[in-house]
Amino acid sequence: MTDLHTIRSGAMDLEGLQRTLRDTVRGEVRFDKGSRSAYSTDSSNYRQTPIGVVVPRSVDDVVATVAACREHGAPVLSRGGGTSLAGQGTNVAVVIDWSKYLRGIVELDPDRRQARVQPGIVLDELRDAAGEHGLTFGPDPSTHNRNSLGGMIGNNSCGVHSVMAGRTSDNIDELEVLTYDGLRMRVGPTSDEELARIIAEGGRRGEIYAGMKQIVNRHADLIRARFPRIPRRVSGFNLDELLPENGFHVARALVGTEGTCATVLEATCKLVEHPPASTLLVLGYPSVYEAADHVPEILEFGPVGLEGIDQMLIEYMQTKHMHADDRALLPDGEGWLLVEFGGEDNDEAARRARDCMEALRGNGSAPTMKLFEDPEEEEHIWEIRESGLGATARVPGQPDTWPGWEDSAVPPEKVGAYLRELRGLFDEYDYKVSVYGHFGDGCIHCRIPFELNTAQGLRKYESFVEEAADLVLSYGGSVSGEHGDGQARGFLLEKMFGRELVDDMGTFMRLWDPENKMNPGKAIDPDPLLANLRFGTDYHPLPLQSGNQTHFQYPDDDGDFARATTRCVGVGKCRRTEGGTMCPSYMVTLEEEHSTRGRARLLFEMLQGDSAVAEDGWRSDDIHDALDLCLACKGCKGDCPVNVDMATYKAEFLAHYYQGRVRPREAYALGLIYWAARLAARMPDVANAVLSAPVLGDVVKRLGGVSTERSAPQFARETFTTWFQRRGGSHVSGGETVLLWPDTFNNHWHPAVGKATVELLEALGYTVTLPPRILCCGRPLYDYGMLDLAKRQLRQILDALRPQIRAGVTLIGMEPSCLVVFRDELVNLCPNDEDAQRLHDNAVMLTEFLAARADELEWPQSLAGRKAVVHGHCHQKSTLGMDADLDVLGRLGLDVEYLKDAGCCGLAGSFGFEASKYEVSKAVGEHALLPSVRQAGDDDLLITSGYSCREQVEQLGGIRMLHTAEVLRAAFTGGSLEQPLEDSQGPAAVLRANWGVVALTGAVAFTGGALARAVRRR
């Protein structure tokens, strides 16, 4: 990697810079290794470690930051969502992260159809506010639920509905900007009189305006001739906005300059009417080329969105098990157009779609057609399109793909011809590529399997980009149609515009930033294409410590932890604040290093010899701190488009970080819950009395590192396994034998769930057995990196259950987090063990077991019509899915409302019990789940299979949730739902139950043993 720090900062006084920033900025100033590493790259192929990071709390903080950088000669980079694909979001500079605090709406005026916003505002937040008035901000990239408007201004972003509303530059009325040398002013359209007055006033502002006028005077005709008149000309600076016929619009000229000219402090946006209703028409063609050929024909019907996808994208999604059921929604074909029509109501939108369908039926090449009027089905189809980048990023069995030619654009009427020639170029270079994108605007998206870590592959990449540029320009197109030029395509601007206009763009940039300190090396005078690569021929991750071994085997990453750390492509889906499960810690902290992406960046940096955190490796405190607030919810494994598995990476890192060290006391108090619970089961009344004592209870909690905000636990007087033995085992013989897994949580704290499961299965004719001895899957051990112990637990399970495993007996789980150990961690820790694979294949949740046999069962309707509000445990949602639960509950006739976007409960096993995590845990629970549950009616059934979920809702909301097994048992046997079966203690806390036992009677032994082992290792 080129050392641009030396080139651009010289002998910079970093300590002085930090001191000045800390003295003048009220926000957060960070020069630590972790923060710098987390911001070292964006969603591009490039990597540059920043000088430092500032998270401003106010615009005054931004002004002070730029002043401090000017005083010390430090470059500046404004950053929003950090999803830039061409390298604009990474630089050796002081990064200003707008996304945490400066994300508000200053003013929204529906009468004038304008909104004044701060640059860090997430696009969807602006759209939601405008939507209350029937308005919207037109451009909407697929990252609309996490990208910032400031980033859209920097890159001149577009999106699905730009066919209706144009680019970002078309929707900006005014900007408040700050230059590197301290000039602060508002810019927008400029009349001839105002322009003359500004120039006459002189000063720094007059100098800038005079220089811009000179550019127009010198080359107005050349600008008119060389700037492509196409919807998606994003390449280059918008010199055309300075033409007289465009009103000398300085704000729009600055849009798309990628932060290289000035810092945007505030934006006044144009709002457009948002059709109150919409409908989606999907057209299927024999190929994506024929689909593209018909774009002009479809545009005649006035759609508000027109997208295209190809068959390869669908194949990649099927390979990655993304939107598995949604493919069936598409009409026949191998290339599709997604056509959205708007209207004042559903009937008008549908009428416009049907008019289009009727006209298409009348020609000789009518496509297959399907009109979607169900909003839920429409959402599924749009999810297919919006998942394009993630679906094509890392496909099993295919080479990794990268940006580099991801958004070329041509006139819409030429898309079909361009795609055919582009495919020919792909074939010539032996690149297998899926194409999709905004066909109505002529913009084509793709990721290409460039080989970025060999000299031959890099030469091939460079050659391809040159030829691809020649191709798109031969069609009168643009080398960038959405994501900007950055470092990836800045060098192509001369080929596109000619030397004179590129010189004018350089003049324009230097008028604003004479010292070249604003995001240098991007777009104009860019760093070379192959400089600053994340990979490149210098990529050689450091060998891992501890005998070069990892605990997990990473079968999906070729057994290579280093490759696992490259999985994140920076798309930033983990930075959304609403919807889905990932990433709960980011949702409440808005901190980059507490997002899945930020953590993945740190782990990647850990293995780079020239990185800020490499020297500490597995012992890095910065990485430990970033992972500390990871709830290990596995939401990323399910929600992330490339399935980053941060829960596994966290467990791996902690195992190495604490090797030979004493862990925090909560790791022993909570991680060793299995042994503590077995001890407490011998004296539950004593344990309950200790934990309920007003003073002693808090002392015990503090000894165990547990929050005193958590209420005292109550052990069940009789465990589930004891109950099962006392009743003489199963009361059914001769039926199909199933093996019920008595997890530690339900066994010791909620045996009613086990009892309900047994009685349900027996009522259905199954013979229920339990393991021959008390066992534990070790789920709490993963949270603290106790992987050696976890592997021993799994070996014990395989040894004890070997006869049943080899006989193919189905293992049924009640607690999702425990069952997921068998479906996830087991084969990752033991990938070459056939019995481990057999157990993986035959371990199912109760609902999965019943759903697979649904047609054989007679489903009672005693609960029919009653509303059921269902929440999914994070591990279940990410690894198993919720389809089985929703299926079986629906078969009972329940009116099921699935809280799809209720996120994580926040307790997450042991996480929410730790004293240092309580506030975050509470905030996560209150973010989505608890408000949703509180809205339920008094007679609604509140259902979840997750023990942590039930406990969090009861502790923070005082609301009891039912386990799915309890509902099923009541339906099939007529039992009551009012109280747990024979559970006189009531629903108890999950992990806090061992505070007293471990902290009071066992903490010394555990800690002493750990100390002794640590001493021996040293």
Side-chain angles (χ1 to χ4, degrees), residues 716 718-725 727 729-730 738-763 768-770 812-815 846 945 947 950 960 962-967 969 980-983:
E718 182 180 52
T719 66
F720 163 64
T721 53
T722 301
W723 170 86
F724 189 79
Q725 293 168 355
R727 79 194 289 262
S730 183
V738 296
L739 179 64
L740 183 61
W741 181 256
D743 61 90
T744 299
F745 305 117
N746 286 310
N747 187 33
H748 290 277
W749 293 286
H750 203 171
V753 171
K755 299 173 187 178
T757 305
V758 169
E759 295 194 8
L760 168 66
L761 289 169
E762 290 180 340
V768 180
T769 62
L770 300 186
I812 296 177
M814 299 175 284
E815 166 58 34
L846 172 66
S945 294
Y947 205 115
R950 300 201 304 279
R960 178 175 181 258
L962 296 164
H963 190 285
T964 313
E966 295 176 300
V967 177
R969 174 201 170 274
L981 285 172
E982 301 175 11
D983 191 2

Side-chain angles (χ1 to χ4, degrees), residues 282 309 314 326-332 336 370 372 381 384:
V282 181
I309 57 177
I314 301 302
D326 297 342
R327 167 62 182 91
L329 296 174
L330 294 173
D332 292 340
W336 294 268
K370 189 170 183 180
F372 294 87
I381 296 297
I384 290 177

Side-chain angles (χ1 to χ4, degrees), residues 749-877:
W749 293 286
H750 203 171
V753 171
K755 299 173 187 178
T757 305
V758 169
E759 295 194 8
L760 168 66
L761 289 169
E762 290 180 340
L764 298 176
Y766 295 100
T767 301
V768 180
T769 62
L770 300 186
R773 50 168 291 200
I774 300 297
L775 297 165
C776 179
C777 69
R779 166 56 66 198
L781 300 172
Y782 297 93
D783 294 340
Y784 299 101
M786 297 178 174
L787 297 184
D788 287 332
L789 186 54
K791 282 188 282 189
R792 284 202 292 272
Q793 295 292 100
L794 292 177
R795 288 297 177 194
Q796 289 177 5
I797 292 170
L798 293 174
D799 290 342
L801 301 185
R802 206 171 304 279
Q804 292 95 325
I805 291 172
R806 293 185 175 178
V809 176
T810 300
L811 182 147
I812 296 177
M814 299 175 284
E815 166 58 34
S817 67
C818 295
L819 193 279
V820 164
V821 171
F822 301 136
R823 295 274 283 272
D824 188 356
E825 282 87 356
L826 176 62
V827 291
N828 200 338
L829 288 168
C830 311
N832 300 315
D833 188 309
E834 292 296 333
D835 285 332
Q837 186 62 52
R838 293 184 183 105
L839 179 55
H840 166 277
D841 295 342
N842 286 321
V844 297
M845 285 293 292
L846 172 66
T847 49
E848 292 180 305
F849 180 80
L850 297 179
R853 295 158 175 78
D855 294 339
E856 304 168 11
L857 302 176
E858 183 175 339
W859 294 86
Q861 298 299 301
S862 59
L863 298 176
R866 193 166 178 181
K867 185 174 181 180
V869 179
V870 179
H871 171 66
H873 185 286
C874 293
H875 288 187
Q876 184 172 4
K877 288 185 288 189

Side-chain angles (χ1 to χ4, degrees), residues 885-921:
D885 285 61
L886 302 180
D887 181 22
V888 299
L889 293 172
R891 289 176 183 271
L892 297 177
L894 289 165
D895 176 14
V896 179
E897 178 188 353
Y898 172 41
L899 301 178
K900 178 182 177 183
D901 292 323
C904 177
C905 73
L907 192 63
S910 61
F911 181 91
F913 287 96
E914 295 184 30
S916 62
K917 314 285 178 53
Y918 175 74
E919 291 301 328
V920 171
S921 170

Side-chain angles (χ1 to χ4, degrees), residues 406-418:
E406 68 275 3
D407 65 337
S408 55
V410 296
E413 66 272 14
K414 297 182 179 180
V415 172
Y418 171 62

Side-chain angles (χ1 to χ4, degrees), residues 921-992:
S921 170
K922 182 179 178 181
V924 172
E926 294 288 356
H927 184 73
L929 176 57
L930 282 160
S932 298
V933 170
R934 291 187 183 110
Q935 292 175 6
D938 292 339
D939 294 330
D940 294 348
L941 298 177
L942 303 178
I943 304 171
T944 183
S945 294
Y947 205 115
S948 291
C949 312
R950 300 201 304 279
E951 183 66 21
Q952 181 81 323
V953 170
E954 182 165 351
Q955 286 225 8
L956 299 183
I959 301 169
R960 178 175 181 258
M961 296 190 77
L962 296 164
H963 190 285
T964 313
E966 295 176 300
V967 177
L968 290 165
R969 174 201 170 274
F972 276 96
T973 69
S976 172
L977 286 172
E978 300 307 314
Q979 294 294 332
L981 285 172
E982 301 175 11
D983 191 2
S984 60
Q985 299 302 311
V990 184
L991 295 170
R992 47 196 179 126

